[in-house]
Amino acid sequence: MKITLNVWRQSSPEAAGSFVKYDVDGVSADMSMLEMLDVLNDRLESKGEAPIAFDHDCREGICGSCGFMINGVAHGPEKEITVCQTHMRSFKDGDELTLEPWRAMAFPVMRDLMVDRSAFDRIIQAGGYVSVRTGSAPEANATPVMKEHADMAFEAAACIGCGACVAACPNAAAMLFTSAKVSHLGLLPQGEPERDKRAIDMVAQMDKEGFGHCSNHGECEAVCPKGISVNFIARMNRDLLKATLRSSR
Amino acid sequence: MTLDGKCPSGPIETAWDRHRFNMKLVNPSNRRKYNVLVVGTGLAGAACAATLGELGFNVQAFCYQDSARRAHSIAAQGGINAAKNYQNDGDSVHRLFYDTVKGGDYRSRERNVHRLAQISVNIIDQAVAQGVPFAREYGGLLDNRSFGGAQVARTFYARGQTGQQLLLGAYSALSRQVHAGTVKLHTRTEMLDLVVIDGRARGIITRNLATGELESWVGDAVVLATGGYGNVFFLSTNAMGCNVTATYKAYKKGALFANPCYTQIHPTCIPVSGGYQSKLTLMSESLRNDGRVWVPKSAADATKDPSTLPEDQRDYYLERRYPSFGNLVPRDVASRNAKTVCDEGRGVGHEVDGQRRAVYLDFRDAIQRVGKSTIEARYGNLFHMYTKITGENPYESPMRIYPAIHYTMGGLWVDYNLMSNIEGLFVLGEANFSDHGANRLGASALMQGLADGYFVAPPTISDYLARVGWGSTVTAEHEGFKAAKGEANERIQKLLSIKGKRPVDSFHRELGNVMWDKCGMSRTKEGLEEALKRIPEIRAEFWENVNVPGENKGVNQSLERAGRVADFLEFGELMCLDALERAESCGGHFREESQTEDGEALRDDVNYCHTAAWEFKGVETAPTLHKEALTFDYVKLTQRSYK
């Protein structure tokens, strides 16, 4: 197959970026999107040109490193997968694809398709944990957990922190990301003692980072590679409301 | 050099407790006076950094990824073993210890393994308290499954994402300490060298991957939790960024590298589809519970549609050769047999470089026996993943699988305290060699990483710090730091100045092909000698003809890869040398010269019941071999048999 790419090239955080056109021929349907970029980058490197920078690591859809827009859709056209698992058989010979980094004020572009997502780390640092010292844990089976709650907590905990939810949201909100962690821990008895404080602190940090707010578009769920439900946002809003009322009492 | 494992003597059951009592403690008010550098934020690194932070030490943690949450521990699927005996099926600390020593083909230290089995139960308690959502039964208690042929159900799991959930648990503990100010986290930061002053590890040199800046970090102890070296093969199930640089640089500074030839091959991965392939994807080996492995009897049928081949034209070679274990033979046996039938020209699937390297894993009979819906319930997510990657439907046509490099048991030599032969250099998780011998059992990697990080290293590091005291006068201005930083900079400038004709990856692929052919699933004296001749040639061409575009300013991913490949090009030679020296077969190391009449791995306990630890003597000079004898007081050495 022959694919034409319009790729966002930006040499540094300060530099102005622009789209650059590349024709890539000899593309196999069995290649992943990132392997196609590897082939292009090998050609660029052989000519002494700077390869296209993009974050990636595990290439099996679990580390959350990779992600960019393909024709305006975060992680591309296939449902519930990341760009590293998107294969070229999803496209056809002669297709023209526009590749662009996540666009959000809280995710500044570092180079080409690579953005700085450290804001997510700071949201977790604000309260995305159970305060339990190593060695102080009780016997694991001492606290039974309803299977339904454990399963739902797992659904929320499956978040890979890739940032697609922010990129897809018209408000660049990080509500799906934040609510996934608030819900995961809030659903478990282990997370109950800090439930109020966690919701308040994580949402405060989210606001501080410059993410927008949810206005119920649902774009985040539609592009989430792990299919995390927007119901968790509603759940976080309830937790936050209750926590705010309790804390002001 | 005499290698002293410093294992406590006396009864094995109480060895760790007695050892802990004998260790020195640092007074709580003095802990903040010590700086500890932790490199790597996977299970071992994140757990260790968080725990040291909780104790009150000053910790600097480093990772090359953009977030600590992305380390490759995250990709582990199956589960984590622990001797809880929740299933009442006869498990115990002693049984887990016994199984691990036997599974490692009697090439690990008994006392280290026993400690691991003991600690396994604390790990589950800790993870559950952190909120790790393990699978549960309807009664609300934790569920277990049997894994990797174990006769007891001791594996805890969180669907097929156990590594992810455990890593996110460790990452949350780490994040809590970052918030508390005890841990300072440096992401997108890669270690380029270790600084050793007066025989003690005193710091590291790093490169900031966002700016290119080189920095010196001074510490009272250095912890390497930087994972394995599977990417020396180019294609592996490792993440793209996994590399040997940190441990290899420590080796060049005097740390011994132990058993580098011990690598584990996983039999059920999705095969290579073309020359552009960048990595291999693992499929859980639970698939072999229902799938039947076969190839055509005749090489002429290799390209035919498998569904048209009648029963008598198929060779179910595992069932034929191993009637009692059949398709469930251990990983190494299943892998070698796949290679054998493909070498005979009976491999199937895509032709890459003139060879078909895949075998069928067929669910037709299982679907007929239990129905499609049952198979879907058991393996639906795996079938979905297979379809996404290959575009084929395994409910209708058989899957194609082939073995791939998955884990490396070798690593830096450490004593019972997880300290290398360099004072103050601690090595944790897959980066050390200590617990898995020549072969790692399924669901044991997560166990070891977390045991090292949460429970073993924090007290042993405290003991070391208490003994050396605080208030050292070493600063980043010390000659040792200046020299190491200068060398790192010189190397970067050299890589950037070559401007040859070949991209970095082409050298990595070439090295990987040699390693896979000559030092992969089966190894021979002739093949290894050939590799030892070929690798220096590739290395020489690399340093003359590689093209690393750009400069050392801002993000330069070509430069990052070039530095890692340069180290693999030296390390590959060490691996082949170790494989050549060990003329026996054991665990994942199969020497064709050493096999039983049935073609099974044959150990030589008279000559090779030792750990081989190599000392660096120069890039073009042969390293010196040191041996640590292995003694077995509690487990009897036997020959494995799966007939």
Side-chain angles (χ1 to χ4, degrees), chain B residues 224-273:
Chain B
L224 299 186
T226 52
Y229 47 84
N231 273 349
V232 70
F233 292 91
F234 186 71
L235 288 179
S236 79
T237 65
N238 281 187
M240 300 300 285
C242 293
N243 66 80
V244 77
T245 292
T247 47
Y248 190 71
K249 287 293 169 50
Y251 163 72
K252 288 178 95 167
K253 285 292 170 78
L256 302 183
F257 212 110
N259 303 331
C261 78
Y262 290 167
T263 52
Q264 185 171 70
I265 316 263
H266 199 288
T268 50
C269 298
I270 299 178
V272 175
S273 63

Side-chain angles (χ1 to χ4, degrees), chain A residues 196-218:
Chain A
D196 285 4
K197 185 169 162 28
R198 181 181 306 116
I200 290 173
D201 291 350
M202 289 181 74
V203 171
Q205 187 65 36
M206 187 183 85
D207 291 344
K208 199 171 144 195
E209 296 291 346
F211 292 106
H213 272 262
C214 176
S215 47
N216 297 317
H217 286 263

Side-chain angles (χ1 to χ4, degrees), chain B residues 302-321:
Chain B
T303 54
K304 284 193 184 149
D305 175 359
S307 60
T308 64
L309 280 184
E311 210 55 25
D312 62 349
Q313 296 302 309
R314 300 173 173 207
D315 179 13
Y316 296 92
Y317 58 90
L318 289 177
E319 297 171 24
R320 173 170 59 79
R321 291 194 62 189

Side-chain angles (χ1 to χ4, degrees), chain A residues 17-241:
Chain A
S18 63
F19 284 103
V20 177
K21 186 173 268 201
Y22 298 96
D23 286 323
V24 191
D25 42 27
V27 174
S28 149
D30 290 324
M31 282 180 180
S32 71
M33 172 62 73
L34 300 188
E35 285 169 346
M36 190 264 301
L37 287 179
D38 290 343
V39 169
L40 172 59
N41 277 344
D42 260 9
R43 290 177 199 168
L44 293 176
E45 270 188 31
S46 300
K47 290 191 281 182
E49 290 176 35
I52 298 159
F54 56 92
D55 270 317
H56 65 104
D57 207 17
C58 77
R59 295 209 177 184
E60 43 190 282
I62 193 74
C63 76
S65 297
C66 70
F68 45 77
M69 310 297 274
I70 304 174
N71 288 345
V73 180
H75 288 305
E78 301 285 336
K79 288 282 169 212
E80 296 195 12
I81 50 173
T82 52
V83 289
C84 67
Q85 292 196 304
T86 302
H87 280 67
M88 295 312 291
R89 73 179 68 88
S90 300
F91 308 100
K92 58 182 193 302
D93 188 31
D95 272 0
E96 189 160 337
L97 307 179
T98 299
L99 309 186
E100 214 180 339
W102 294 159
R103 301 287 188 191
M105 197 173 72
F107 286 167
V109 175
M110 296 176 66
R111 185 180 184 123
D112 301 338
L113 304 175
M114 186 187 269
V115 299
D116 177 357
R117 288 169 293 195
S118 54
F120 270 11
D121 282 338
R122 290 188 291 273
I123 293 175
I124 300 293
Q125 286 157 13
Y129 39 75
V130 174
S131 297
V132 49
R133 263 190 328 279
T134 301
S136 61
E139 215 294 320
N141 261 349
T143 312
V145 180
M146 263 175 72
K147 183 169 163 51
E148 290 78 0
H149 288 177
D151 287 349
M152 206 196 292
F154 178 90
E155 299 287 342
C159 169
I160 60 173
C162 65
C165 47
V166 173
C169 177
N171 310 325
M175 297 283 274
L176 192 65
F177 170 81
T178 309
S179 71
K181 189 49 66 185
V182 166
S183 301
H184 156 211
L185 296 175
L187 277 157
L188 296 171
Q190 288 82 4
E192 189 62 29
E194 294 170 291
R195 187 168 167 184
D196 285 4
K197 185 169 162 28
R198 181 181 306 116
I200 290 173
D201 291 350
M202 289 181 74
V203 171
Q205 187 65 36
M206 187 183 85
D207 291 344
K208 199 171 144 195
E209 296 291 346
F211 292 106
H213 272 262
C214 176
S215 47
N216 297 317
H217 286 263
E219 294 283 339
C220 51
E221 181 184 305
V223 298
C224 175
K226 296 294 148 186
I228 291 173
S229 163
V230 287
N231 290 340
F232 290 124
I233 297 182
R235 194 183 166 83
M236 178 171 78
N237 283 335
R238 288 200 298 276
D239 272 15
L240 182 65
L241 182 63

